Amino acid sequence: AVDADLVSNVTYRIKTEAARQLFAVNRLTGAVSVLQTLDFEDLAAGNSTYTFEVEALDHGGVLPPGTATVIVRIT
């Protein structure tokens, strides 16, 4: 996300509650990481895709949060 203000105050968070059990997002950079090993063979019934939303929040601004859909495919 890009903040047009001179001082950026954008932070990120995972909006989808269930995804917070498996993934984390860096509040300042928006980088997504896994919280545990995801093994393709251990995934239930071919559920090798995770889809969730991440929000970008401008804490000093008046605009609503921006959202992005993240799709993680385990291969």
Side-chain angles (χ1 to χ4, degrees):
V2 176
D3 185 356
D5 298 341
L6 292 176
V7 178
S8 179
N9 53 3
V10 174
T11 59
Y12 301 88
R13 75 177 191 101
I14 295 176
K15 187 175 178 180
T16 310
E17 181 66 35
R20 293 184 203 156
Q21 305 303 313
L22 297 172
F23 302 97
V25 65
N26 182 298
R27 294 188 74 235
L28 300 177
T29 66
V32 176
S33 59
V34 293
L35 295 174
Q36 59 187 331
T37 302
L38 302 175
D39 188 345
F40 183 79
E41 285 81 18
D42 291 340
L43 297 175
N47 183 19
S48 60
T49 302
Y50 297 91
T51 303
F52 56 94
E53 287 190 338
V54 172
E55 284 185 320
L57 303 145
D58 180 2
H59 290 282
V62 295
L63 295 176
T67 60
T69 300
V70 176
I71 301 171
V72 177
R73 288 189 181 95
I74 310 302
T75 58

Short mmCIF file of all heavy atoms in Angstrom, two decimals:
data_model
loop_
_atom_site.label_atom_id
_atom_site.label_comp_id
_atom_site.label_asym_id
_atom_site.label_seq_id
_atom_site.Cartn_x
_atom_site.Cartn_y
_atom_site.Cartn_z
N ALA A 1 0.85 -1.18 0.00
CA ALA A 1 0.00 0.00 0.00
C ALA A 1 0.89 1.24 0.00
O ALA A 1 2.01 1.20 0.49
CB ALA A 1 -0.91 0.00 1.22
N VAL A 2 0.38 2.30 -0.56
CA VAL A 2 1.11 3.56 -0.60
C VAL A 2 0.28 4.62 0.10
O VAL A 2 -0.92 4.76 -0.14
CB VAL A 2 1.38 3.99 -2.06
CG1 VAL A 2 2.06 5.33 -2.10
CG2 VAL A 2 2.21 2.95 -2.78
N ASP A 3 0.91 5.36 0.98
CA ASP A 3 0.27 6.44 1.71
C ASP A 3 0.76 7.76 1.11
O ASP A 3 1.96 7.98 1.01
CB ASP A 3 0.63 6.35 3.19
CG ASP A 3 -0.10 7.36 4.04
OD1 ASP A 3 -0.84 8.20 3.49
OD2 ASP A 3 0.05 7.30 5.27
N ALA A 4 -0.15 8.60 0.70
CA ALA A 4 0.23 9.86 0.06
C ALA A 4 0.76 10.90 1.05
O ALA A 4 1.31 11.91 0.64
CB ALA A 4 -0.96 10.43 -0.70
N ASP A 5 0.60 10.66 2.35
CA ASP A 5 1.12 11.59 3.36
C ASP A 5 2.64 11.57 3.34
O ASP A 5 3.27 10.63 2.87
CB ASP A 5 0.66 11.18 4.76
CG ASP A 5 -0.85 11.22 4.92
OD1 ASP A 5 -1.51 11.88 4.09
OD2 ASP A 5 -1.36 10.58 5.84
N LEU A 6 3.23 12.64 3.86
CA LEU A 6 4.69 12.68 3.94
C LEU A 6 5.23 11.61 4.88
O LEU A 6 6.28 11.05 4.65
CB LEU A 6 5.15 14.07 4.40
CG LEU A 6 4.91 15.20 3.40
CD1 LEU A 6 5.32 16.53 4.01
CD2 LEU A 6 5.68 14.95 2.12
N VAL A 7 4.51 11.34 5.95
CA VAL A 7 4.92 10.31 6.91
C VAL A 7 3.93 9.16 6.78
O VAL A 7 2.75 9.30 7.07
CB VAL A 7 4.92 10.86 8.35
CG1 VAL A 7 5.29 9.76 9.33
CG2 VAL A 7 5.86 12.05 8.47
N SER A 8 4.42 8.02 6.33
CA SER A 8 3.54 6.86 6.12
C SER A 8 3.17 6.25 7.46
O SER A 8 4.01 6.04 8.33
CB SER A 8 4.24 5.82 5.26
OG SER A 8 3.41 4.71 5.09
N ASN A 9 1.89 6.00 7.64
CA ASN A 9 1.42 5.36 8.86
C ASN A 9 0.49 4.19 8.51
O ASN A 9 -0.48 3.94 9.19
CB ASN A 9 0.75 6.36 9.78
CG ASN A 9 -0.35 7.16 9.07
OD1 ASN A 9 -0.65 6.92 7.91
ND2 ASN A 9 -0.94 8.09 9.77
N VAL A 10 0.82 3.49 7.44
CA VAL A 10 0.04 2.34 7.01
C VAL A 10 0.51 1.10 7.78
O VAL A 10 1.71 0.86 7.91
CB VAL A 10 0.20 2.09 5.49
CG1 VAL A 10 -0.48 0.81 5.07
CG2 VAL A 10 -0.34 3.27 4.71
N THR A 11 -0.45 0.35 8.30
CA THR A 11 -0.15 -0.93 8.91
C THR A 11 -1.04 -1.98 8.27
O THR A 11 -2.08 -1.67 7.68
CB THR A 11 -0.36 -0.92 10.43
OG1 THR A 11 -1.71 -0.57 10.72
CG2 THR A 11 0.59 0.04 11.12
N TYR A 12 -0.62 -3.24 8.39
CA TYR A 12 -1.30 -4.34 7.75
C TYR A 12 -1.78 -5.33 8.79
O TYR A 12 -1.16 -5.49 9.84
CB TYR A 12 -0.34 -5.07 6.79
CG TYR A 12 0.22 -4.17 5.72
CD1 TYR A 12 1.38 -3.43 5.93
CD2 TYR A 12 -0.42 -4.04 4.50
CE1 TYR A 12 1.89 -2.61 4.95
CE2 TYR A 12 0.08 -3.22 3.51
CZ TYR A 12 1.25 -2.51 3.75
OH TYR A 12 1.74 -1.69 2.78
N ARG A 13 -2.88 -6.03 8.45
CA ARG A 13 -3.35 -7.11 9.31
C ARG A 13 -4.15 -8.09 8.46
O ARG A 13 -4.73 -7.72 7.44
CB ARG A 13 -4.20 -6.60 10.47
CG ARG A 13 -5.60 -6.17 10.10
CD ARG A 13 -6.40 -5.75 11.34
NE ARG A 13 -7.79 -5.59 10.99
CZ ARG A 13 -8.74 -6.47 11.24
NH1 ARG A 13 -8.44 -7.58 11.86
NH2 ARG A 13 -9.99 -6.25 10.88
N ILE A 14 -4.16 -9.35 8.92
CA ILE A 14 -4.97 -10.36 8.26
C ILE A 14 -6.40 -10.18 8.75
O ILE A 14 -6.66 -10.21 9.94
CB ILE A 14 -4.45 -11.78 8.56
CG1 ILE A 14 -3.07 -11.96 7.95
CG2 ILE A 14 -5.42 -12.83 8.02
CD1 ILE A 14 -2.41 -13.28 8.27
N LYS A 15 -7.30 -9.98 7.82
CA LYS A 15 -8.70 -9.73 8.15
C LYS A 15 -9.45 -11.03 8.43
O LYS A 15 -10.34 -11.07 9.27
CB LYS A 15 -9.36 -8.98 7.00
CG LYS A 15 -10.75 -8.52 7.27
CD LYS A 15 -11.28 -7.67 6.13
CE LYS A 15 -12.71 -7.25 6.39
NZ LYS A 15 -13.24 -6.44 5.31
N THR A 16 -9.10 -12.11 7.75
CA THR A 16 -9.77 -13.39 7.88
C THR A 16 -9.29 -14.12 9.13
O THR A 16 -8.12 -14.51 9.21
CB THR A 16 -9.52 -14.25 6.62
OG1 THR A 16 -9.80 -13.48 5.46
CG2 THR A 16 -10.38 -15.51 6.62
N GLU A 17 -10.17 -14.30 10.09
CA GLU A 17 -9.81 -14.88 11.39
C GLU A 17 -9.16 -16.25 11.27
O GLU A 17 -8.14 -16.53 11.89
CB GLU A 17 -11.05 -14.96 12.28
CG GLU A 17 -10.79 -15.51 13.66
CD GLU A 17 -9.91 -14.64 14.52
OE1 GLU A 17 -10.00 -13.41 14.41
OE2 GLU A 17 -9.11 -15.18 15.31
N ALA A 18 -9.75 -17.15 10.47
CA ALA A 18 -9.22 -18.52 10.36
C ALA A 18 -7.80 -18.53 9.82
O ALA A 18 -6.98 -19.38 10.19
CB ALA A 18 -10.13 -19.36 9.48
N ALA A 19 -7.46 -17.60 8.95
CA ALA A 19 -6.11 -17.55 8.36
C ALA A 19 -5.05 -17.16 9.39
O ALA A 19 -3.88 -17.50 9.22
CB ALA A 19 -6.09 -16.58 7.19
N ARG A 20 -5.44 -16.50 10.46
CA ARG A 20 -4.48 -16.08 11.49
C ARG A 20 -3.88 -17.26 12.23
O ARG A 20 -2.87 -17.11 12.92
CB ARG A 20 -5.14 -15.13 12.48
CG ARG A 20 -5.50 -13.81 11.86
CD ARG A 20 -6.05 -12.86 12.89
NE ARG A 20 -6.86 -11.86 12.23
CZ ARG A 20 -7.81 -11.19 12.81
NH1 ARG A 20 -8.10 -11.39 14.08
NH2 ARG A 20 -8.50 -10.29 12.13
N GLN A 21 -4.51 -18.45 12.11
CA GLN A 21 -3.97 -19.65 12.75
C GLN A 21 -2.79 -20.22 11.97
O GLN A 21 -1.95 -20.92 12.54
CB GLN A 21 -5.07 -20.72 12.88
CG GLN A 21 -6.31 -20.26 13.60
CD GLN A 21 -6.02 -19.73 14.99
OE1 GLN A 21 -5.29 -20.37 15.76
NE2 GLN A 21 -6.56 -18.57 15.33
N LEU A 22 -2.73 -19.93 10.67
CA LEU A 22 -1.68 -20.50 9.81
C LEU A 22 -0.70 -19.47 9.27
O LEU A 22 0.43 -19.82 8.93
CB LEU A 22 -2.33 -21.21 8.61
CG LEU A 22 -3.21 -22.41 8.94
CD1 LEU A 22 -3.93 -22.89 7.69
CD2 LEU A 22 -2.37 -23.53 9.54
N PHE A 23 -1.13 -18.21 9.16
CA PHE A 23 -0.31 -17.19 8.52
C PHE A 23 -0.17 -15.95 9.40
O PHE A 23 -1.01 -15.70 10.26
CB PHE A 23 -0.94 -16.77 7.17
CG PHE A 23 -1.12 -17.92 6.23
CD1 PHE A 23 -2.34 -18.57 6.12
CD2 PHE A 23 -0.07 -18.36 5.45
CE1 PHE A 23 -2.52 -19.63 5.26
CE2 PHE A 23 -0.23 -19.42 4.58
CZ PHE A 23 -1.45 -20.06 4.49
N ALA A 24 0.89 -15.19 9.15
CA ALA A 24 1.11 -13.92 9.83
C ALA A 24 1.45 -12.88 8.77
O ALA A 24 1.93 -13.22 7.69
CB ALA A 24 2.25 -14.04 10.83
N VAL A 25 1.19 -11.62 9.08
CA VAL A 25 1.58 -10.53 8.20
C VAL A 25 2.38 -9.52 9.02
O VAL A 25 2.02 -9.21 10.15
CB VAL A 25 0.34 -9.87 7.52
CG1 VAL A 25 -0.56 -9.19 8.51
CG2 VAL A 25 0.78 -8.91 6.43
N ASN A 26 3.48 -9.07 8.45
CA ASN A 26 4.30 -8.05 9.11
C ASN A 26 3.51 -6.75 9.12
O ASN A 26 3.10 -6.28 8.06
CB ASN A 26 5.63 -7.89 8.38
CG ASN A 26 6.54 -6.90 9.04
OD1 ASN A 26 6.22 -5.72 9.14
ND2 ASN A 26 7.68 -7.37 9.48
N ARG A 27 3.27 -6.18 10.28
CA ARG A 27 2.45 -4.97 10.42
C ARG A 27 2.99 -3.79 9.62
O ARG A 27 2.23 -2.94 9.18
CB ARG A 27 2.33 -4.56 11.89
CG ARG A 27 1.57 -5.56 12.72
CD ARG A 27 1.29 -5.05 14.12
NE ARG A 27 0.23 -4.03 14.01
CZ ARG A 27 0.34 -2.80 14.47
NH1 ARG A 27 1.43 -2.40 15.07
NH2 ARG A 27 -0.66 -1.95 14.34
N LEU A 28 4.30 -3.72 9.43
CA LEU A 28 4.88 -2.56 8.78
C LEU A 28 5.16 -2.76 7.29
O LEU A 28 5.02 -1.83 6.51
CB LEU A 28 6.18 -2.16 9.49
CG LEU A 28 6.00 -1.79 10.97
CD1 LEU A 28 7.35 -1.49 11.60
CD2 LEU A 28 5.05 -0.62 11.14
N THR A 29 5.52 -3.99 6.89
CA THR A 29 5.88 -4.22 5.49
C THR A 29 4.78 -4.91 4.69
O THR A 29 4.80 -4.85 3.46
CB THR A 29 7.15 -5.09 5.38
OG1 THR A 29 6.85 -6.41 5.89
CG2 THR A 29 8.31 -4.46 6.14
N GLY A 30 3.89 -5.63 5.36
CA GLY A 30 2.85 -6.38 4.67
C GLY A 30 3.30 -7.75 4.20
O GLY A 30 2.54 -8.47 3.57
N ALA A 31 4.54 -8.13 4.50
CA ALA A 31 5.05 -9.45 4.09
C ALA A 31 4.28 -10.55 4.82
O ALA A 31 4.10 -10.50 6.04
CB ALA A 31 6.54 -9.56 4.40
N VAL A 32 3.83 -11.54 4.06
CA VAL A 32 3.07 -12.67 4.61
C VAL A 32 4.01 -13.84 4.84
O VAL A 32 4.86 -14.14 4.01
CB VAL A 32 1.93 -13.08 3.65
CG1 VAL A 32 1.20 -14.31 4.15
CG2 VAL A 32 0.96 -11.93 3.44
N SER A 33 3.86 -14.51 5.99
CA SER A 33 4.67 -15.69 6.30
C SER A 33 3.79 -16.76 6.91
O SER A 33 2.66 -16.49 7.34
CB SER A 33 5.81 -15.31 7.27
OG SER A 33 5.28 -14.79 8.47
N VAL A 34 4.29 -17.99 6.94
CA VAL A 34 3.55 -19.10 7.55
C VAL A 34 3.98 -19.24 9.00
O VAL A 34 5.12 -18.96 9.36
CB VAL A 34 3.74 -20.43 6.80
CG1 VAL A 34 3.10 -20.38 5.43
CG2 VAL A 34 5.19 -20.81 6.71
N LEU A 35 3.05 -19.69 9.84
CA LEU A 35 3.34 -19.87 11.26
C LEU A 35 3.77 -21.30 11.58
O LEU A 35 4.30 -21.56 12.65
CB LEU A 35 2.11 -19.52 12.10
CG LEU A 35 1.68 -18.06 12.04
CD1 LEU A 35 0.37 -17.86 12.78
CD2 LEU A 35 2.76 -17.16 12.62
N GLN A 36 3.51 -22.22 10.66
CA GLN A 36 3.88 -23.62 10.86
C GLN A 36 4.15 -24.26 9.51
O GLN A 36 3.78 -23.72 8.48
CB GLN A 36 2.78 -24.37 11.59
CG GLN A 36 1.44 -24.34 10.87
CD GLN A 36 0.33 -24.93 11.71
OE1 GLN A 36 0.58 -25.79 12.53
NE2 GLN A 36 -0.88 -24.47 11.51
N THR A 37 4.76 -25.42 9.52
CA THR A 37 5.03 -26.13 8.28
C THR A 37 3.73 -26.61 7.68
O THR A 37 2.87 -27.16 8.37
CB THR A 37 5.95 -27.34 8.55
OG1 THR A 37 7.16 -26.87 9.15
CG2 THR A 37 6.27 -28.08 7.28
N LEU A 38 3.55 -26.38 6.39
CA LEU A 38 2.36 -26.84 5.67
C LEU A 38 2.81 -27.93 4.69
O LEU A 38 3.45 -27.64 3.69
CB LEU A 38 1.69 -25.68 4.92
CG LEU A 38 1.26 -24.50 5.78
CD1 LEU A 38 0.72 -23.39 4.90
CD2 LEU A 38 0.22 -24.93 6.80
N ASP A 39 2.49 -29.16 5.00
CA ASP A 39 2.91 -30.31 4.20
C ASP A 39 1.77 -30.72 3.28
O ASP A 39 0.67 -31.02 3.73
CB ASP A 39 3.30 -31.46 5.12
CG ASP A 39 3.92 -32.63 4.37
OD1 ASP A 39 3.81 -32.68 3.13
OD2 ASP A 39 4.51 -33.48 5.04
N PHE A 40 2.02 -30.75 1.98
CA PHE A 40 1.00 -31.08 0.98
C PHE A 40 0.34 -32.42 1.28
O PHE A 40 -0.87 -32.55 1.18
CB PHE A 40 1.61 -31.08 -0.42
CG PHE A 40 0.62 -31.34 -1.51
CD1 PHE A 40 -0.21 -30.32 -1.96
CD2 PHE A 40 0.49 -32.59 -2.08
CE1 PHE A 40 -1.13 -30.54 -2.97
CE2 PHE A 40 -0.43 -32.82 -3.09
CZ PHE A 40 -1.24 -31.79 -3.53
N GLU A 41 1.12 -33.42 1.66
CA GLU A 41 0.56 -34.75 1.92
C GLU A 41 -0.34 -34.77 3.15
O GLU A 41 -1.24 -35.59 3.27
CB GLU A 41 1.67 -35.79 2.08
CG GLU A 41 2.32 -36.19 0.77
CD GLU A 41 3.38 -35.18 0.31
OE1 GLU A 41 3.85 -34.38 1.13
OE2 GLU A 41 3.71 -35.20 -0.89
N ASP A 42 -0.12 -33.87 4.09
CA ASP A 42 -0.91 -33.83 5.32
C ASP A 42 -2.18 -33.01 5.20
O ASP A 42 -3.03 -33.04 6.08
CB ASP A 42 -0.08 -33.27 6.49
CG ASP A 42 1.03 -34.22 6.90
OD1 ASP A 42 0.93 -35.42 6.58
OD2 ASP A 42 1.98 -33.75 7.54
N LEU A 43 -2.34 -32.28 4.12
CA LEU A 43 -3.51 -31.42 3.97
C LEU A 43 -4.76 -32.25 3.72
O LEU A 43 -4.72 -33.24 2.99
CB LEU A 43 -3.30 -30.41 2.83
CG LEU A 43 -2.14 -29.44 3.06
CD1 LEU A 43 -1.93 -28.58 1.84
CD2 LEU A 43 -2.40 -28.58 4.28
N ALA A 44 -5.86 -31.85 4.32
CA ALA A 44 -7.10 -32.62 4.26
C ALA A 44 -7.75 -32.57 2.89
O ALA A 44 -8.02 -31.49 2.37
CB ALA A 44 -8.07 -32.10 5.32
N ALA A 45 -8.01 -33.72 2.31
CA ALA A 45 -8.81 -33.88 1.09
C ALA A 45 -8.47 -32.89 -0.01
O ALA A 45 -9.35 -32.27 -0.60
CB ALA A 45 -10.29 -33.81 1.44
N GLY A 46 -7.20 -32.72 -0.29
CA GLY A 46 -6.80 -31.86 -1.40
C GLY A 46 -6.95 -30.37 -1.15
O GLY A 46 -6.91 -29.58 -2.08
N ASN A 47 -7.13 -29.96 0.10
CA ASN A 47 -7.25 -28.53 0.41
C ASN A 47 -5.85 -27.92 0.41
O ASN A 47 -5.27 -27.64 1.45
CB ASN A 47 -7.93 -28.32 1.77
CG ASN A 47 -8.12 -26.86 2.07
OD1 ASN A 47 -8.08 -26.02 1.19
ND2 ASN A 47 -8.32 -26.55 3.33
N SER A 48 -5.31 -27.72 -0.77
CA SER A 48 -3.95 -27.20 -0.88
C SER A 48 -3.93 -25.71 -1.21
O SER A 48 -2.90 -25.16 -1.51
CB SER A 48 -3.17 -27.98 -1.94
OG SER A 48 -3.82 -27.85 -3.19
N THR A 49 -5.10 -25.05 -1.15
CA THR A 49 -5.20 -23.63 -1.42
C THR A 49 -5.84 -22.92 -0.24
O THR A 49 -6.85 -23.37 0.28
CB THR A 49 -6.03 -23.37 -2.70
OG1 THR A 49 -5.41 -24.06 -3.78
CG2 THR A 49 -6.11 -21.90 -3.02
N TYR A 50 -5.23 -21.83 0.17
CA TYR A 50 -5.78 -20.99 1.22
C TYR A 50 -6.03 -19.60 0.64
O TYR A 50 -5.17 -19.04 -0.02
CB TYR A 50 -4.80 -20.88 2.39
CG TYR A 50 -4.54 -22.19 3.07
CD1 TYR A 50 -3.48 -23.00 2.66
CD2 TYR A 50 -5.34 -22.64 4.11
CE1 TYR A 50 -3.23 -24.22 3.26
CE2 TYR A 50 -5.09 -23.86 4.73
CZ TYR A 50 -4.04 -24.63 4.30
OH TYR A 50 -3.80 -25.83 4.90
N THR A 51 -7.21 -19.06 0.89
CA THR A 51 -7.56 -17.72 0.42
C THR A 51 -7.99 -16.89 1.62
O THR A 51 -8.81 -17.34 2.42
CB THR A 51 -8.72 -17.79 -0.61
OG1 THR A 51 -8.31 -18.64 -1.69
CG2 THR A 51 -9.05 -16.42 -1.16
N PHE A 52 -7.42 -15.70 1.74
CA PHE A 52 -7.79 -14.83 2.85
C PHE A 52 -7.54 -13.38 2.46
O PHE A 52 -6.92 -13.10 1.46
CB PHE A 52 -7.04 -15.19 4.14
CG PHE A 52 -5.54 -15.20 4.03
CD1 PHE A 52 -4.80 -14.08 4.36
CD2 PHE A 52 -4.87 -16.34 3.60
CE1 PHE A 52 -3.41 -14.10 4.28
CE2 PHE A 52 -3.49 -16.37 3.51
CZ PHE A 52 -2.76 -15.24 3.85
N GLU A 53 -8.07 -12.46 3.27
CA GLU A 53 -7.94 -11.03 3.00
C GLU A 53 -6.96 -10.38 3.97
O GLU A 53 -6.93 -10.71 5.15
CB GLU A 53 -9.29 -10.33 3.10
CG GLU A 53 -10.21 -10.63 1.95
CD GLU A 53 -11.44 -9.73 1.94
OE1 GLU A 53 -11.79 -9.17 2.99
OE2 GLU A 53 -12.02 -9.59 0.87
N VAL A 54 -6.19 -9.44 3.43
CA VAL A 54 -5.30 -8.61 4.23
C VAL A 54 -5.75 -7.17 4.08
O VAL A 54 -6.11 -6.74 2.98
CB VAL A 54 -3.83 -8.78 3.76
CG1 VAL A 54 -2.92 -7.79 4.47
CG2 VAL A 54 -3.35 -10.20 4.00
N GLU A 55 -5.77 -6.44 5.19
CA GLU A 55 -6.15 -5.02 5.18
C GLU A 55 -4.92 -4.14 5.33
O GLU A 55 -3.99 -4.48 6.05
CB GLU A 55 -7.07 -4.69 6.36
CG GLU A 55 -8.47 -5.14 6.21
CD GLU A 55 -9.31 -4.65 7.39
OE1 GLU A 55 -8.85 -4.67 8.54
OE2 GLU A 55 -10.44 -4.24 7.12
N ALA A 56 -4.94 -3.00 4.65
CA ALA A 56 -3.94 -1.94 4.84
C ALA A 56 -4.69 -0.77 5.46
O ALA A 56 -5.65 -0.26 4.89
CB ALA A 56 -3.31 -1.54 3.52
N LEU A 57 -4.27 -0.38 6.66
CA LEU A 57 -4.95 0.67 7.41
C LEU A 57 -4.09 1.91 7.52
O LEU A 57 -2.91 1.83 7.85
CB LEU A 57 -5.28 0.16 8.82
CG LEU A 57 -6.12 -1.12 8.87
CD1 LEU A 57 -5.72 -1.97 10.03
CD2 LEU A 57 -7.57 -0.76 8.93
N ASP A 58 -4.67 3.07 7.24
CA ASP A 58 -4.00 4.36 7.38
C ASP A 58 -4.53 4.98 8.67
O ASP A 58 -5.62 5.52 8.70
CB ASP A 58 -4.29 5.25 6.18
CG ASP A 58 -3.62 6.61 6.27
OD1 ASP A 58 -2.88 6.85 7.24
OD2 ASP A 58 -3.83 7.42 5.37
N HIS A 59 -3.74 4.88 9.74
CA HIS A 59 -4.24 5.28 11.06
C HIS A 59 -4.45 6.77 11.23
O HIS A 59 -5.20 7.18 12.09
CB HIS A 59 -3.31 4.74 12.14
CG HIS A 59 -3.40 3.26 12.26
ND1 HIS A 59 -4.43 2.62 12.90
CD2 HIS A 59 -2.61 2.28 11.75
CE1 HIS A 59 -4.27 1.32 12.82
NE2 HIS A 59 -3.17 1.09 12.13
N GLY A 60 -3.84 7.58 10.41
CA GLY A 60 -4.04 9.02 10.54
C GLY A 60 -5.01 9.57 9.52
O GLY A 60 -5.44 10.72 9.61
N GLY A 61 -5.37 8.78 8.54
CA GLY A 61 -6.19 9.26 7.44
C GLY A 61 -7.67 9.03 7.64
O GLY A 61 -8.11 8.49 8.65
N VAL A 62 -8.42 9.44 6.65
CA VAL A 62 -9.87 9.32 6.72
C VAL A 62 -10.41 8.27 5.75
O VAL A 62 -11.60 8.00 5.73
CB VAL A 62 -10.55 10.68 6.43
CG1 VAL A 62 -10.20 11.68 7.51
CG2 VAL A 62 -10.15 11.21 5.07
N LEU A 63 -9.54 7.70 4.94
CA LEU A 63 -9.99 6.72 3.96
C LEU A 63 -10.25 5.36 4.62
O LEU A 63 -9.61 5.00 5.60
CB LEU A 63 -8.93 6.54 2.87
CG LEU A 63 -8.67 7.78 2.01
CD1 LEU A 63 -7.53 7.50 1.05
CD2 LEU A 63 -9.92 8.17 1.25
N PRO A 64 -11.21 4.60 4.08
CA PRO A 64 -11.44 3.25 4.61
C PRO A 64 -10.24 2.36 4.31
O PRO A 64 -9.43 2.68 3.43
CB PRO A 64 -12.68 2.78 3.86
CG PRO A 64 -12.75 3.61 2.64
CD PRO A 64 -12.08 4.92 2.98
N PRO A 65 -10.12 1.23 5.02
CA PRO A 65 -8.98 0.36 4.76
C PRO A 65 -8.99 -0.19 3.35
O PRO A 65 -10.04 -0.42 2.77
CB PRO A 65 -9.15 -0.78 5.77
CG PRO A 65 -10.43 -0.55 6.48
CD PRO A 65 -11.01 0.74 6.03
N GLY A 66 -7.80 -0.39 2.81
CA GLY A 66 -7.67 -1.08 1.53
C GLY A 66 -7.55 -2.56 1.80
O GLY A 66 -7.01 -2.97 2.83
N THR A 67 -8.07 -3.38 0.92
CA THR A 67 -7.98 -4.82 1.11
C THR A 67 -7.39 -5.49 -0.11
O THR A 67 -7.50 -4.99 -1.23
CB THR A 67 -9.37 -5.45 1.40
OG1 THR A 67 -10.23 -5.19 0.30
CG2 THR A 67 -9.98 -4.91 2.67
N ALA A 68 -6.76 -6.62 0.13
CA ALA A 68 -6.22 -7.45 -0.95
C ALA A 68 -6.53 -8.90 -0.62
O ALA A 68 -6.50 -9.30 0.54
CB ALA A 68 -4.72 -7.26 -1.07
N THR A 69 -6.85 -9.66 -1.64
CA THR A 69 -7.07 -11.09 -1.47
C THR A 69 -5.75 -11.81 -1.71
O THR A 69 -5.09 -11.60 -2.73
CB THR A 69 -8.13 -11.61 -2.46
OG1 THR A 69 -9.36 -10.90 -2.22
CG2 THR A 69 -8.38 -13.10 -2.30
N VAL A 70 -5.37 -12.65 -0.75
CA VAL A 70 -4.14 -13.41 -0.84
C VAL A 70 -4.52 -14.87 -1.09
O VAL A 70 -5.37 -15.42 -0.39
CB VAL A 70 -3.32 -13.30 0.46
CG1 VAL A 70 -2.08 -14.17 0.41
CG2 VAL A 70 -2.94 -11.85 0.73
N ILE A 71 -3.89 -15.48 -2.08
CA ILE A 71 -4.12 -16.90 -2.38
C ILE A 71 -2.79 -17.62 -2.21
O ILE A 71 -1.80 -17.27 -2.88
CB ILE A 71 -4.67 -17.11 -3.79
CG1 ILE A 71 -6.00 -16.37 -3.96
CG2 ILE A 71 -4.83 -18.60 -4.10
CD1 ILE A 71 -6.52 -16.34 -5.37
N VAL A 72 -2.75 -18.61 -1.32
CA VAL A 72 -1.55 -19.40 -1.09
C VAL A 72 -1.84 -20.82 -1.58
O VAL A 72 -2.79 -21.45 -1.12
CB VAL A 72 -1.17 -19.42 0.40
CG1 VAL A 72 0.05 -20.30 0.65
CG2 VAL A 72 -0.93 -18.01 0.92
N ARG A 73 -1.04 -21.30 -2.51
CA ARG A 73 -1.18 -22.66 -3.03
C ARG A 73 0.02 -23.48 -2.56
O ARG A 73 1.17 -23.11 -2.80
CB ARG A 73 -1.23 -22.67 -4.55
CG ARG A 73 -2.52 -22.13 -5.08
CD ARG A 73 -2.65 -22.35 -6.59
NE ARG A 73 -3.92 -21.78 -7.04
CZ ARG A 73 -4.09 -20.58 -7.54
NH1 ARG A 73 -3.04 -19.79 -7.64
NH2 ARG A 73 -5.25 -20.14 -7.91
N ILE A 74 -0.26 -24.60 -1.92
CA ILE A 74 0.78 -25.49 -1.44
C ILE A 74 1.00 -26.56 -2.51
O ILE A 74 0.07 -27.26 -2.90
CB ILE A 74 0.38 -26.16 -0.11
CG1 ILE A 74 -0.10 -25.13 0.91
CG2 ILE A 74 1.53 -26.99 0.43
CD1 ILE A 74 0.90 -24.06 1.24
N THR A 75 2.23 -26.65 -3.02
CA THR A 75 2.53 -27.63 -4.07
C THR A 75 3.63 -28.56 -3.63
O THR A 75 4.37 -28.27 -2.73
CB THR A 75 2.94 -26.94 -5.37
OG1 THR A 75 4.08 -26.12 -5.11
CG2 THR A 75 1.82 -26.09 -5.91
#
